[in-house]
Amino acid sequence: RRTGANKIFVDFGAMYAGYFSMSAEGKKSDKIELRFGQELNPDGSVRYKLRANCDYREHFILSGKGADELRQFDYKPFRYAEIILPESGGAKVDEGSIRLIARHMPFKLAAKNRYAGDARARKVWDLCVRTLRYGAQEQILDCMEREKGYYLGDGCYSVLAWCLLNGDFAPMRKFVDDFLRTSFINGGLVTCANCSFMQEIAEYPLMMFILLPVLEGRDDGREFVRERLGEFRKILDFYAENYAEADGLLSNLDKWCVVEWPHQWRDGYDVDIKEGEICKTKHNVINAWYVGAVRAFNRTARRLGEREYEGESRLVEAFRRAFYDPQKKLFRDSVESARTSYPSNIYAWFLGLYPDGECRAEIIKMIRQKRLDKGMLFISFPLLAGLQRDGEEELLLSLITDKKAWLRMIEEGASATYEGWGKDAKWNTSLFHLTLSSCAALMVEGYDIGKVIDLR
């Protein structure tokens, strides 16, 4: 609609990732200002300075040779557009030519929602499915606007959900190969593949091991996994050779261990894990992922009849000796701390490292108390998958439909999952971010991902 003598406002109805297209004509060097956004300012104008720290203001300079068609090279996520014509007059836009050209990986929904009978759960399912439908590009990215990063850690969850929804695991096999190829840079792999961004996050390569039982359990994945077990073994060797102490547990890591992100969602995890500094403390989370990776490798190797990785039982016992508090029946953050935070217990429980039923009961009790209030991007999937594995269906559905989580995004107007439980969850919140769309993996009818990844 026209919002002024020289202004045109466009609402495409929902968020998409893609290109804006239009044709216009005017005098040579006439400059049309274009503003794009994911939400509106209080005055109704387009908020082109995004929360994610992108500035979506561009200019279309006319040739003066008749109708010029706007052809954009880079895609971006937006819902709204504002076209501002030069005040000198003469420039005209063909309003019938205005388009949003959405781009995404081909998507064919093959899965059904096991909670289709619950109206709140249907909303969450629809949000996650739409996010994965329009968000997956040439590869599984995290956010659509800021860095468009092909991240290993949260990408494990996103690619898993996409593949389960489509019944097509080719993107997961590509994902695994893309990251295994980065071993020429570092034996412990790197954080982002297929790009020039150099970063190492300690637990990310270890998180990829949970995809092994998923792929091994499929006819189109067994030989793929068998052929790559040697590369996964090299990752474990790298961690053992560079960071393992006498008991086999890791310490003195020069890779950043993120634990949970942003930092205020770590529930006060009592370890100094500043990025760019060596963490000299032997702490829980990196070791939980490391021991869990060994267990995932061995479970897969046994099923394939291949050689296991040595020392699994010794590592499990060392982990419990180092971090388990038998009085509290919970896991401590480090060998130097008595704090029993959410990350330390969620990951250890999800990865099957708890010693007995009493510990499991205490962790479930902790989940009932803290729910999703003390975790976000990285804890949410292990938390929900662990509940599914343990048959805690009522609590699982309660968290999926928690008003402070996915339903809060929807209440705030989301048509794609946010990088957090709300627009203000981070200082640079992406409003089109794939990580939390992984909730759909827990909602697929006839497939219990929590039990597939059961490492107990």
Side-chain angles (χ1 to χ4, degrees):
R1 66 175 186 269
R2 290 270 178 175
T3 56
N6 66 327
K7 290 184 179 180
I8 300 172
F9 171 83
V10 185
D11 178 359
F12 289 103
M15 190 95 73
Y16 296 87
Y19 315 92
F20 184 74
S21 177
M22 60 174 253
S23 63
E25 58 181 294
K27 301 188 296 294
K28 181 179 181 180
S29 298
D30 269 353
K31 187 184 292 186
I32 297 175
E33 183 174 330
L34 303 172
R35 298 177 177 180
F36 305 98
Q38 302 169 326
E39 51 188 327
L40 303 177
N41 293 312
D43 65 359
S45 61
V46 174
R47 179 174 175 168
Y48 62 89
K49 292 187 176 181
L50 305 190
R51 294 174 187 269
N53 290 341
C54 298
D55 190 330
Y56 279 176
R57 186 175 64 149
E58 306 165 13
H59 293 93
F60 183 21
I61 301 174
L62 304 181
S63 69
K65 297 180 180 179
D68 293 316
E69 184 179 348
L70 177 65
R71 296 177 180 270
Q72 296 192 315
F73 171 76
D74 195 16
Y75 68 91
K76 56 184 172 289
F78 63 101
R79 170 177 174 170
Y80 303 102
E82 203 165 31
I83 305 167
I84 304 176
L85 301 169
E87 294 184 358
S88 57
K92 296 181 180 179
V93 173
D94 177 3
E95 295 185 23
S97 70
I98 294 172
R99 298 282 188 277
L100 190 163
I101 304 171
R103 55 161 281 166
H104 58 87
M105 191 185 296
F107 185 99
K108 186 175 182 180
L109 182 62
K112 295 182 179 180
N113 177 8
R114 72 170 66 204
Y115 301 118
D118 186 301
R120 298 167 303 166
R122 284 200 305 272
K123 291 180 180 179
V124 175
W125 168 266
D126 290 345
L127 177 68
C128 294
V129 169
R130 187 183 186 282
T131 303
L132 289 161
R133 179 190 298 275
Y134 291 109
Q137 301 299 323
E138 68 280 4
Q139 50 204 20
I140 300 294
L141 305 181
D142 64 336
C143 66
M144 296 296 100
E145 65 278 84
R146 195 173 57 241
E147 66 266 37
K148 299 175 181 172
Y150 190 20
Y151 278 88
L152 173 51
D154 42 335
C156 291
Y157 305 148
S158 304
V159 75
L160 174 59
W162 192 98
C163 293
L164 286 174
L165 291 178
N166 287 269
D168 176 6
F169 283 72
M172 184 180 291
R173 297 192 294 271
K174 176 186 187 298
F175 179 91
V176 168
D177 277 347
D178 285 344
F179 282 97
L180 289 179
R181 288 188 189 104
T182 71
S183 63
F184 81 94
I185 302 170
N186 183 280
L189 311 187
V190 297
T191 299
C192 290
N194 300 349
C195 69
S196 59
F197 179 53
M198 179 60 193
Q199 186 184 44
E200 298 169 44
I201 294 181
E203 68 265 47
Y204 275 18
L206 305 172
M207 292 165 70
M208 187 166 66
F209 281 70
I210 67 172
L211 300 182
L212 290 178
V214 176
L215 287 168
E216 183 277 326
R218 297 182 52 83
D219 291 340
D220 60 359
R222 287 177 63 83
E223 291 309 309
F224 173 89
V225 171
R226 190 191 306 275
E227 292 170 5
R228 285 151 183 81
L229 273 184
E231 297 302 310
F232 278 87
R233 185 184 296 275
K234 289 178 183 178
I235 297 171
L236 296 176
D237 286 344
F238 173 86
Y239 278 84
E241 292 165 5
N242 287 274
Y243 308 114
E245 296 189 335
D247 62 358
L249 298 183
L250 310 182
S251 189
N252 294 301
L253 268 83
D254 53 3
K255 291 173 176 276
W256 178 38
C257 185
V258 70
V259 176
E260 175 60 293
W261 192 252
H263 60 84
Q264 66 267 28
W265 292 90
R266 293 178 186 147
D267 190 30
Y269 188 68
D270 191 17
V271 183
D272 185 356
I273 51 172
K274 291 188 182 70
E275 185 177 8
E277 297 182 9
I278 294 176
C279 180
K280 298 180 180 180
T281 305
K282 184 189 292 187
H283 67 101
N284 179 309
V285 169
I286 185 57
N287 280 290
W289 279 114
Y290 174 61
V291 180
V294 172
R295 301 193 88 178
F297 180 95
N298 284 348
R299 175 186 162 177
T300 304
R302 285 193 297 271
R303 291 174 65 92
L304 292 172
E306 300 290 341
R307 180 167 60 94
E308 295 183 35
Y309 198 82
E310 295 181 1
E312 177 185 338
S313 59
R314 182 172 67 92
L315 284 171
V316 173
E317 288 305 313
F319 181 85
R320 292 172 182 169
R321 283 197 306 271
F323 305 115
Y324 186 59
D325 184 330
Q327 277 71 48
K328 293 182 179 179
K329 304 293 182 184
L330 293 170
F331 288 94
R332 296 184 294 263
D333 294 350
S334 81
V335 295
E336 301 170 6
S337 175
R339 181 166 179 78
T340 53
S341 70
Y342 218 27
S344 290
N345 287 277
I346 294 300
Y347 296 135
W349 165 69
F350 167 65
L351 296 164
L353 303 178
Y354 59 92
D356 52 40
E358 288 184 286
C359 175
R360 174 197 172 277
E362 284 300 314
I363 294 174
I364 297 293
K365 180 180 176 182
M366 176 185 277
I367 293 172
R368 292 187 186 279
Q369 293 171 343
K370 298 190 176 185
R371 298 177 66 81
L372 294 168
D373 296 340
K374 298 296 181 181
M376 197 165 62
L377 292 173
F378 298 106
I379 287 177
S380 58
F381 178 85
L383 193 162
L384 298 178
L387 291 175
Q388 187 178 78
R389 176 198 67 195
D390 285 7
E392 296 282 349
E393 285 293 328
E394 184 178 346
L395 180 54
L396 171 62
L397 181 58
S398 171
L399 293 180
I400 289 173
T401 57
D402 191 311
K403 292 181 179 179
K404 297 180 181 178
W406 288 273
L407 291 180
R408 178 181 171 185
M409 300 182 207
I410 294 169
E411 182 67 23
E412 292 184 4
S415 53
T417 51
Y418 296 162
E419 189 186 12
W421 300 134
K423 291 180 178 180
D424 297 320
K426 292 176 83 245
W427 65 92
N428 61 348
T429 308
S430 164
L431 300 188
F432 198 149
H433 196 279
L434 265 60
T435 300
L436 291 173
S437 66
S438 63
C439 180
L442 283 304
M443 304 176 75
V444 172
E445 185 177 82
Y447 189 92
D448 290 345
I449 187 59
K451 294 178 181 177
V452 172
I453 308 176
D454 187 353
L455 302 182
R456 295 174 297 181

